Structure formats: C-alpha cells, structure tokens
C-alpha cells in the first residue's frame, strides 16, 4: 500500500514539475503595433520584433506616471510588454505619489524589415547580458521616438540612412495633447550610435543624447543634413567632436559636454544661452556668417578655448557669454554691425587678451567692449 501511495505521489510531483516547466517554457508573444508582433524566447534571452508599420508608443512611469490614463487603444500599454521593471517610490512618507522604475532585462534584440518607427520607450533599460550586441535597425525605420533606447546598454546601435527624425519628448495621445518624454537615447550607455554622413536625418530633438555615453557617430562625427538640434540635445554627452554645418542649434545643446574639443555650428543663426557652457576642453569652434547673436553664458567656462572668430553679421553678445574662458587670448571680430556687448561678456578671460576689430570701428568697439573685459585688454584695428 505504501509503495502504491509513493508511486502516486511521485507521479503527482512529476506532473506538477512537468506542468510548471511547460508553462515557463512558453514563448511570450503579442502585438506591439497594428501590424507588428513581438516574440520573447522562453529563456527571455531574445526579443524579435517583426511586421510592418509603426510600433506602439509606451509610457515611462519613471518620467510621467500621472499621464498613464491618457493612452488610447493605439498605444495599448503604459510599458512595453517585454520589459520588467523594479519599481521604487520617491517623495516624503506621506506624499509617495511618484513611481520610478529601472529595467532588469538582458535581451538580444532583433528588429525586422518593414518596421517604420521605434516606439517611445520601446527598449528602455534593455541590454544584452554582456553589452556586446550590435543592433542594426532596418532601413525602413524613419522615426525613433522619445525614450526608445533610453537607459539601455548595447555595444553599438546602427541608425539607418532613412531615419529623418530622432524625436525626443513628444508623443500624441487620444486627447490630442503632446506630452514630454525622455530623449530617444537619453542616458544610453552605448558609446557607438552610428549615423552615416549620407544619412537623411534632419531633426535631432531636445534631450536626444542627453547624459549619454555616445562618443562615436561616424568617422568625423559629421551630420551634414541635420537642420535642427533641439534644447539640451547633447547635454553632458561624451561626444569629443561634432560637425553640424546646416543646423539651427538650440539652448544648452552641448552644455557640460566635458570631452568636446571641436564643434562646427556654422549653420546656426544664434548661439543660444548655455550652448557650450562648461565645455572645458573645447578648443576649436566654427561659427558662420548667418550668426547674428551670441547668447548668455554660451561659452562660459570653456577653459581651453584660446581663440574665437566672431562673424560679420553678429549684432549682440549677451551677458557672461565668454566668462571664465580663462585661456581666451585672441578675439577676432569681423562684424561691423556689433551694437551690444552685455555685462561680463569677456569677464575673467586671459588678462592679455587681444581684440582684433575692423579699423573703422576701433574706437567705438573699444568703448563698447572695455567695460566687460580685463582692464589690460588690447585693441587692434585690422
């Protein structure tokens, strides 16, 4: 009798284990776009996205938990179904109303041809187990939405030539309101985010590469077709040089890029406030003749900058524009239209700084600049 009972118990345990194993071995599948599906392997090591059209956009609770109810049926989920998060609360004990989370996922990611967009927060926090994966997006992708690769960690992410826009903070919901999101590659640990010089990329939205580890885009880090670089687009990124000869560049675009040595922003009409603030290794900046305005603290703390050429159409240099650029010793002003040099514009630059200005403007510019420059500054007509 005991033997029979033992056999029955063994069978029950075996069936239970087999059943549990069968359940755990199931491949996770679902929709992540109107005509797009995802498959997550049973061991959760490989994620495959396939189909045609745009991926759904997902909400990061880390950023905007209160907007979760705004999602319509086209967005389906507040978080990608393949992402698991460890959640935290922030705030005082009696005001714990903000949810923050961190992805705990190690996937190999494959995106198939036919996908036309990478959804907001689609791969937020993902990485492969050894961070050695190269993700090559298909050439059908045209838009990368906010947070798509935020806080992720892959060896390399290859952006196809057909991508027109690296969107940042905007996703449209059922109430037709635009809500802010993370930058597409914000806090991304990938050093190589490859974008060809032949790319059709036009727009790099605000915060796109903010706080990221990116230091390689292409051989010359040149994006010749980009026409818009949004606020804080490369804020505190590890980029060592950048060429954006046609782009209009917005506020704080390269603020605290502490490794940035060389920048071509010759296409912008304004160097807006804080553009290069704190870029302590910046030595070479190319400005163009479209430039009419140099903004507040735009070069403040650029301690390696020794020379700057101010183009012929500049009319105004704002407060503290070059403050604490302590090695700045040569300022060539080609403009004959300069009307305003604001408080502290050249404060605490090299005490032997030389201003080379048009001969016809020597007396006028000396009177204009002297109150906002070292007392020992020299003025030379050219």
């Amino acid at each position: 009798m005991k033997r029979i009972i033992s056999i029955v118990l063994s069978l029950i345990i075996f069936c239970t284990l087999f059943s549990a194993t069968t359940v755990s071995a199931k491949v996770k599948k679902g929709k992540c776009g109107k005509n797009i599906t995802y498959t997550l392997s049973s061991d959760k090591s490989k994620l495959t996205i396939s189909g045609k059209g745009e991926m759904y956009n997902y909400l990061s609770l880390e950023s905007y938990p209160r907007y979760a109810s705004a999602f319509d049926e086209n967005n389906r989920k507040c978080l990608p179904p393949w992402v698991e998060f460890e959640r935290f609360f922030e705030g005082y004990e009696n005001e714990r109303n903000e949810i923050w989370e961190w992805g705990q996922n190690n996937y190999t990611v494959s995106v198939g041809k036919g996908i036309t967009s990478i959804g907001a927060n689609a791969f937020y926090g993902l990485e492969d187990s050894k961070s050695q994966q190269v993700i090559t997006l298909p050439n059908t992708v045209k838009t990368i939405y906010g947070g798509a690769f935020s806080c992720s960690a892959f060896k390399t992410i290859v952006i196809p030539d057909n991508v027109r826009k690296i969107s940042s903070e905007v996703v449209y919901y059922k109430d037709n309101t635009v809500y802010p999101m993370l930058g597409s590659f914000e806090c991304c640990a990938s050093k190589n985010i490859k974008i060809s010089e032949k790319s059709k990329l036009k727009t790099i939205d605000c915060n796109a590469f903010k706080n990221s580890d990116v230091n390689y885009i292409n051989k010359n880090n040149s994006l010749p077709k980009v026409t818009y670089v949004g606020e804080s687009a490369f804020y505190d990124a590890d980029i060592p040089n950048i060429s954006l000869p046609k782009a209009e560049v917005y506020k704080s675009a390269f603020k605290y890029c502490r490794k940035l040595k060389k920048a071509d922003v010759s296409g912008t009409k304004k160097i807006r406030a804080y553009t290069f603030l704190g870029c302590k290794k910046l030595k070479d900046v190319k400005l163009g003749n479209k430039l009419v305005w140099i903004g507040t603290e735009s070069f403040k703390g650029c301690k390696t900058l020794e020379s700057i050429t101010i183009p012929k159409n500049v009319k105004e240099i704002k407060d503290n524009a070059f403050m604490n650029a302590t090695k700045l010793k040569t300022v060539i002003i080609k403009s004959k239209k300069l009307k305003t040099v604001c408080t502290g514009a050249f404060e605490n630059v090299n005490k032997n700084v030389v201003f080379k200005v048009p001969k016809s403007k020597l007396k006028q510019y000396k009177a204009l600049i002297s109150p906002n420059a070292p007392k020992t500054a020299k003025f030379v007509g050219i």
Side-chain angles (χ1 to χ4, degrees):
M1 186 69 178
K2 287 182 179 179
R3 180 176 175 80
I4 293 172
I5 292 172
S6 177
I7 291 170
V8 170
L9 288 172
S10 297
L11 284 170
I12 291 171
I13 292 170
F14 174 79
C15 289
T16 302
L17 289 173
F18 179 80
S19 176
T21 303
T22 303
V23 170
S24 65
K26 285 184 178 179
V27 175
K28 190 175 182 180
K29 294 182 178 181
K31 293 187 72 173
C32 56
K34 186 176 181 180
N35 298 302
I36 302 175
T37 59
Y38 73 90
T39 303
L40 181 59
S41 62
S42 57
D43 61 356
K44 294 186 177 183
S45 65
K46 185 173 183 179
L47 173 68
T48 303
I49 310 289
S50 57
K52 292 183 179 181
E54 290 205 343
M55 290 180 68
Y56 291 143
N57 290 311
Y58 298 94
L59 179 67
S60 167
L61 293 184
E62 177 183 335
S63 302
Y64 300 98
R66 63 182 67 85
Y67 299 150
S69 61
F71 272 77
D72 62 16
E73 284 301 307
N74 289 325
N75 291 282
R76 297 300 177 99
K77 301 282 187 179
C78 289
L79 297 169
W82 50 81
V83 177
E84 295 176 2
F85 288 98
E86 185 175 332
R87 298 185 178 182
F88 303 90
F89 291 91
E90 180 166 291
Y92 297 104
E93 290 298 319
N94 60 342
E95 295 180 0
R96 302 182 111 191
N97 57 355
E98 293 284 334
I99 299 174
W100 290 64
E101 79 276 355
W102 190 259
Q104 304 292 318
N105 310 277
N106 292 299
Y107 300 151
T108 297
V109 178
S110 174
V111 181
K113 187 176 181 181
I115 309 298
T116 58
S117 76
I118 305 299
N121 295 303
F123 305 121
Y124 174 91
L126 293 190
E127 59 182 63
D128 66 297
S129 58
K130 295 182 180 179
S131 296
Q132 295 300 305
Q133 184 184 174
V134 176
I135 297 180
T136 302
L137 300 179
N139 213 33
T140 49
V141 173
K142 294 183 179 180
T143 306
I144 300 174
Y145 284 106
F149 290 94
S150 223
C151 301
S152 66
F154 298 99
K155 183 178 180 181
T156 302
I157 302 171
V158 181
I159 310 302
D161 287 350
N162 277 338
V163 168
R164 266 70 164 183
K165 185 175 185 179
I166 296 177
S167 184
S168 63
E169 301 182 310
V170 293
V171 178
Y172 296 89
Y173 299 82
K174 63 181 179 182
D175 56 3
N176 293 321
T177 302
V178 178
Y179 290 94
M181 302 288 283
L182 294 166
S184 302
F185 297 91
E186 187 169 345
C187 298
C188 179
S190 303
K191 294 182 182 296
N192 300 325
I193 300 175
K194 293 185 178 181
I195 307 172
S196 165
E197 287 191 62
K198 296 179 181 179
S199 172
K200 296 175 183 177
L201 182 64
K202 295 282 188 180
T203 300
I204 299 175
D205 258 342
C206 51
N207 301 325
F209 297 96
K210 184 178 181 180
N211 299 127
S212 72
D213 292 344
V214 61
N215 61 28
Y216 181 90
I217 294 174
N218 53 54
K219 185 178 179 181
N220 300 305
N221 283 348
S222 176
L223 299 171
K225 294 182 181 178
V226 170
T227 57
Y228 178 92
V229 176
E231 182 174 336
S232 300
F234 289 88
Y235 182 110
D236 194 29
D238 284 348
I239 198 81
N241 60 290
I242 193 76
S243 177
L244 296 157
K246 292 184 179 179
E248 193 63 34
V249 178
Y250 284 79
K251 183 179 176 181
S252 303
F254 300 97
K255 185 177 179 180
Y256 297 139
C257 285
R258 295 174 177 86
K259 296 182 180 180
L260 186 66
K261 295 180 179 180
K262 185 177 181 180
D264 179 351
V265 288
S266 54
T268 193
K269 294 177 182 178
K270 295 181 179 180
I271 297 293
R272 291 165 172 84
Y274 322 121
T275 298
F276 294 102
L277 188 150
C279 295
K280 61 183 182 180
K281 291 189 176 181
L282 187 65
K283 296 186 74 173
D284 186 354
V285 182
K286 186 176 181 180
L287 307 176
N289 288 330
K290 291 182 180 180
L291 191 68
V292 297
W293 192 62
I294 297 177
T296 300
E297 297 186 8
S298 49
F299 292 92
K300 183 179 179 180
C302 293
K303 296 182 178 181
T304 312
L305 189 66
E306 294 184 6
S307 175
I308 191 80
T309 298
I310 296 174
K312 65 181 183 179
N313 289 309
V314 173
K315 297 176 182 179
E316 185 172 6
I317 301 174
K318 299 289 284 183
D319 299 81
N320 307 326
F322 293 92
M323 177 185 258
N324 295 337
T326 51
K327 289 190 176 181
L328 185 61
K329 58 186 179 182
T330 304
V331 180
I332 301 170
I333 300 176
K334 293 185 174 182
S335 175
K336 295 181 180 180
K337 300 177 182 180
L338 189 61
K339 301 294 183 183
T340 306
V341 177
C342 295
T343 304
F346 294 96
E347 185 178 331
N348 199 32
V349 299
N350 188 293
K351 65 179 182 179
N352 296 317
V353 62
V354 177
F355 291 90
K356 298 181 178 181
V357 305
K359 281 184 180 180
S360 60
K361 297 286 183 178
L362 180 58
K363 186 176 179 180
Q364 180 184 337
Y365 282 8
K366 184 175 181 179
L368 188 64
I369 297 168
S370 290
N372 304 295
K375 292 181 180 179
T376 51
K378 296 180 179 179
F379 292 82
V380 177
I382 53 174

